[in-house]
Amino acid sequence: MAGILAWFWNERFWLPHNVTWADLKNTEEATFPQAEDLYLAFPLAFCIFMVRLIFERFIAKPCAIALNIQASGPQIAPPNAILEKVFTAITKHPDEKRLEGLSKQLDWDVRSIQRWFRQRRNQEKPSTLTRFCESMWRFSFYLYVFTYGVRFLKKTPWLWNTRHCWYNYPYQPLTTDLHYYYILELSFYWSLMFSQFTDIKRKDFGIMFLHHLVSILLITFSYVNNMARVGTLVLCLHDSADAFLEAAKMANYAKFQKMCDLLFVMFAMVFITTRLGIFPLWVLNTTLFESWEIVGPYPSWCPRTIEVTLSLAQMRRTLNPQGKTPTLQQPPMVPVVPTGTC
């Protein structure tokens, strides 16, 4: 097991050349992200889950009732031990052959059995009230974390110039605000993972489980190898559209159709702008190609990225007297004349 972990956390893969995990240990002068910091996300995820239960019961539910959203669910299927066993242990969608067998066994007509299975499937769907409360909780969290992210990032230099994501990398100190932002986001996704097993299971259970798992892995790995600066940009961009989506769902559950349509259009505009525009053209443009080594030809259509990449590669070809590759330091404030556009 130790060999597998040593292979997985190979410094040649995760860190720049001649940089080791020991170099990123905390000192009296600076604090760096540590893998053990992420253990804090588990108790915090439990706290977030408990806050969600309190919020949905004492805040979201009264709001839903005030909007005339009823708690009544679908029609309950009549109790039947044989059909319930088939439903839970064999299939929720019996074929024609099985329906005929159940019809003879129960002395029911096929249509009655089909109706029973349809009603039983609908019982597993959450009520409109439950879905409204869940959307209101997510809307509140996304709005809070996005607002916090914007307030935090507007004070950082890498929001205005993404080259600062890589100046002096990986020796970038960890600030309290950045640590809180990352742990809060990670805890929220862990709470979503936990709640999937306690909530009513839906058709997209597997897809959402995979989504939460990938999100947790990306947040974890970007924190451990101190790519947190660019990680905060990605988190803030992705949170910007989620609040509009949850607000549109809430309007739909409350039967405010015009407001729902307006909010969904706003969601689509923000989603396309941030994830299909700003993210690839602004964030990826200065992170994907600013790699630790230049491998193969570089894109001729992106001179701004190449300038930083070449500078980084050139510095890493020359070792300092201590045998370590110098990291990219912030250059003097000299105007740079662009040679093209990205």
Side-chain angles (χ1 to χ4, degrees):
M1 187 64 181
I4 296 177
L5 290 176
W7 168 83
F8 182 81
W9 293 110
N10 192 316
E11 294 159 344
R12 295 182 60 185
F13 177 77
W14 294 102
L15 299 174
H17 289 300
N18 297 321
V19 178
T20 65
W21 294 114
D23 297 330
L24 298 180
K25 292 296 182 181
N26 292 332
T27 64
E28 295 181 357
E29 293 78 17
T31 301
F32 300 106
Q34 305 295 316
E36 51 267 23
D37 296 344
L38 301 178
Y39 291 129
L40 180 62
F42 292 103
L44 188 55
F46 177 76
C47 294
I48 291 177
F49 179 70
M50 297 305 296
V51 170
R52 172 195 167 181
L53 296 180
I54 297 172
F55 179 89
E56 290 183 354
R57 180 171 182 178
F58 296 103
I59 299 178
K61 187 175 181 180
C63 291
I65 295 175
L67 294 172
N68 296 322
I69 298 176
Q70 302 299 324
S72 59
Q75 185 176 358
I76 304 299
N80 189 290
I82 296 177
L83 294 181
E84 184 68 26
K85 184 177 180 180
V86 173
F87 183 87
T88 56
I90 302 177
T91 178
K92 298 180 181 180
H93 299 272
D95 54 21
E96 185 176 347
K97 183 177 180 180
R98 190 176 299 277
L99 287 172
E100 292 178 355
L102 290 172
S103 176
K104 295 178 181 179
Q105 184 178 358
L106 297 173
D107 195 23
W108 286 18
D109 60 88
V110 173
R111 291 179 61 86
S112 298
I113 298 176
Q114 289 176 330
R115 186 183 306 110
W116 188 94
F117 273 93
R118 183 172 60 254
Q119 293 174 351
R120 184 62 181 83
R121 288 193 298 268
N122 290 336
Q123 282 181 224
E124 296 197 337
K125 296 180 180 179
S127 65
T128 303
L129 178 65
T130 301
R131 288 182 287 180
F132 179 90
C133 293
E134 179 181 320
S135 292
M136 188 172 180
W137 159 249
R138 295 194 181 192
F139 166 79
S140 302
F141 180 86
Y142 288 137
L143 183 62
Y144 165 74
V145 77
F146 174 70
T147 303
Y148 177 85
V150 171
R151 292 182 61 186
F152 161 64
L153 285 172
K154 72 179 183 180
K155 299 181 293 184
T156 63
W158 60 87
L159 174 65
W160 315 106
N161 184 357
T162 52
R163 289 189 182 97
H164 284 270
C165 293
W166 307 109
Y167 291 149
N168 202 33
Y169 176 82
Y171 304 108
Q172 298 168 341
L174 178 67
T175 64
T176 303
D177 290 339
L178 194 153
H179 176 260
Y180 171 77
Y181 190 28
Y182 246 75
I183 296 299
L184 182 63
E185 290 274 11
L186 181 62
S187 302
F188 177 69
Y189 280 105
W190 272 119
S191 71
L192 292 180
M193 287 272 286
F194 299 152
S195 63
Q196 273 201 299
F197 296 95
T198 58
D199 295 342
I200 298 176
K201 289 190 176 181
R202 301 176 181 176
K203 293 185 293 185
D204 61 349
F205 176 87
I207 296 175
M208 294 308 299
F209 181 85
L210 181 62
H211 171 272
H212 300 333
L213 180 61
V214 171
S215 300
I216 288 171
L217 292 177
L218 290 174
I219 294 173
T220 299
F221 292 145
S222 65
Y223 182 87
V224 171
N225 69 349
N226 205 10
M227 289 187 176
R229 289 187 176 185
V230 68
T232 55
L233 298 178
V234 176
L235 288 172
C236 191
L237 279 177
H238 282 65
D239 289 336
S240 60
D242 292 336
F244 288 103
L245 178 61
E246 299 302 331
K249 290 181 180 179
M250 291 165 56
N252 181 52
Y253 300 146
K255 300 187 184 304
F256 297 153
Q257 195 58 45
K258 291 184 178 181
M259 182 180 295
C260 174
D261 295 340
L262 175 62
L263 288 169
F264 187 79
V265 170
M266 295 173 64
F267 159 75
M269 293 174 61
V270 174
F271 184 94
I272 294 173
T273 302
T274 55
R275 304 197 188 190
L276 303 182
I278 298 176
F279 178 66
L281 298 180
W282 177 53
V283 178
L284 287 185
N285 182 43
T286 52
T287 57
L288 181 62
F289 298 106
E290 290 173 5
S291 56
W292 299 321
E293 296 288 342
I294 295 180
V295 181
Y298 51 82
S300 59
W301 43 265
C302 196
R304 178 167 60 89
T305 295
I306 294 165
E307 176 189 355
V308 179
T309 308
L310 288 174
S311 301
L312 179 59
Q314 184 178 6
M315 296 179 72
R316 285 183 174 147
R317 291 193 183 101
T318 305
L319 296 178
N320 62 16
Q322 286 75 28
K324 295 217 173 165
T325 304
T327 54
L328 185 61
Q329 302 290 337
Q330 181 173 351
M333 299 303 291
V334 178
V336 177
V337 179
T339 58
T341 57
C342 292

